[in-house]
Amino acid sequence: MGEATIEAYYLEDRTFPPSDEFRRNALVSDDALHKEAEADWEGFWAGQARELVTWFKDFDTVLEWDLPFAKWFIGGTLNVSYNCLDRHVEAGRGDKVAYHWEGEPGDTRTITYADLLDEVSRFANVLKSLGVQKGDRVAIYLPMIPELPVAMLACARIGAPHSVVFGGFSADALRGRIIDAEAKVLITADGGWRRGSAVPLKVSADEALEGTSTIEHVVVVRRTEEDVPFTEGRDRWYDELMRDADGDCPPEHMDAEDLLYLLYTSGTTAKPKGIMHTTGGYLTHAAFTHKYVFDLHPDTDVYWCGADIGWVTGHSYIVYGPLANGATSVIYEGSPDTPGKDRLWAIAEKYGVTILYTAPTAIRTFMKWGTEFPESHDLSKLRVLGSVGEPINPEAWVWYWQHIGGARCPVVDTWWQTETGGIMISPLPGVTTLKPGSATFPLPGIGAEVVDEQGNKIERGGGYLTLTRPWPGMLRGIYGDPERYKQTYWSRFEGRYFAGDGCKIDDDGYFWLLGRIDDVMNISGHRVSTTEVESALVDDQNVAEAAVVGAKDETTGQAIIAYVTLRGSVEPSDDRGEQLREHVAKKIGKFGRPKTIIFTDDLPKTRSGKIMRRLLKDVAEGRDLGDTTTLADPAVVDEIKKRAQQSPQED
Ligand code: PRX
């Protein structure tokens, strides 16, 4: 072993207790919250719900738990947009900035809580005028512009569940989600800015709508001002509708368990799951975790979550959590390297960002670019750093702590999922002694345990991460498919929610997340299912069979590697590989495009015909192949190994 390895090992063993200064000003600096929650977790959540959320009518039952179906805060009524907007304005904080928005080309908007309330109310009336009623689903396909949170909050205001589809998804992916949700209205834009070019969203939206039957109107926001196809009658311009809209729209009184939104996520099958989040519990969980995990002081902090609102991180920690807590946030539209690799640090300096929440894949990219970019800006206001989306390697953690946080800011590594709605395992920055690479402990009120193959709790060592009791932000199901909900999350270990992640408990009881144990890849912090990519590949007329694995990648965590067998007389070539990559991009979105395509005449299979993914993963990661005797044709492996060495990679 060389010196670097010893150094890295040493770093993993380092511990970082909160500084005295940090603790003095922290919302919590001892284990009082954890203790209170352990004594009575239902009572604890009820207390948080009453403290952090304003109810039109108080709830009478905290929890009804009919495993695996939970109902929280039964009998309570509330409105999420009222909690995010009206109550702050009513309390005299209307002039407080909700969002400092910065477009990629450099244009900016400063949006106060009063501004946001006005725009949301008007757009809520617009939606009503287009026939959207309580309970109707609205699809949203927008870039990172202020109209995105406006649209979400307008839906929440009138009780129409939204389904936000990340702007990087393809037309096909959008179509599938619209069909599954039976959405009535689609909100999109002419385009958005990404790395200096206009991404033509409206063109994709139109393509998606071919083959759907439920969309009655498309609302189009002008962003890039490019010419777009426009279907008279169906399509309407956002700005024109808003001009005539009334600014008064009383918030609908929603039941605590009414559906707030759907968000589709990949699983081990090709069909994405519509994860259901409801109103009272979700908002409580988002607000609680946003407040305590980031130690939010709303009057002085400037908070920035760098995720896209199209993913759950953006839902909970750009829109609902921060707004419920009356925070001032930064939203940035574009790419971190446009116009220069210091763009994020220039923005952080400009707005005086104090809390930054980003993903390990981004941190590793910043590491690669070099320290001169953050060093060229004043980041001295930063005081808390967060990480989410995948395990953060200790080296990246320490780099983040040192070069972004100036060796002064606690790094909170937050483990959670689309399904959990909010953060589940994370340090509290004024309380927890940090270990680089560990998400540390379950938050107050959360029950998490690691179990073995049989479902027995493991006190020390590695196993499967499970959640042992319901929590307010938990998914209430998969849209239209309760059976799949049971099967996917609650069947592997009796009485436990199985998260799909491996996890290790160390001698001090710290949780160390080990990544997915199923056929779901984690690419740049986003879950992409192997099956979905395989289906996209096999959808190409030249492909006979495909197997996809995620291989370790320095920057993106995992990279997609595809093994492809072509039909009959079709010859493999670099062009063919490129064309297949584009085909996947079209079916799923660019982020689902394989980094490497390996053409092979056959795939390694067990005698029962199951593709041996483990082995393909080993080949992709260049590991020793070990025992291959269960193969139908062991020669295939040598062939694959040879091909793997010859195949060109995409940069
Ligand atoms: O594997 C875990 C990983 O991301 C998965 C959830 O993905 P998604 O639903 O897209 O939500 C991402 C943002 C919450 C998890 O099953 N993951 C997320 N955060 C962490 C993580 N793995 C390790 N450490 C984390 N902090």
Side-chain angles (χ1 to χ4, degrees), residues 313 389-391 413-418 501 513 516 522 527:
T313 306
E390 56 179 311
D413 173 12
T414 63
W415 177 87
W416 58 295
Q417 308 179 296
T418 306
D501 285 331
L513 274 302
R516 309 280 313 169
N522 190 318
R527 274 193 283 171

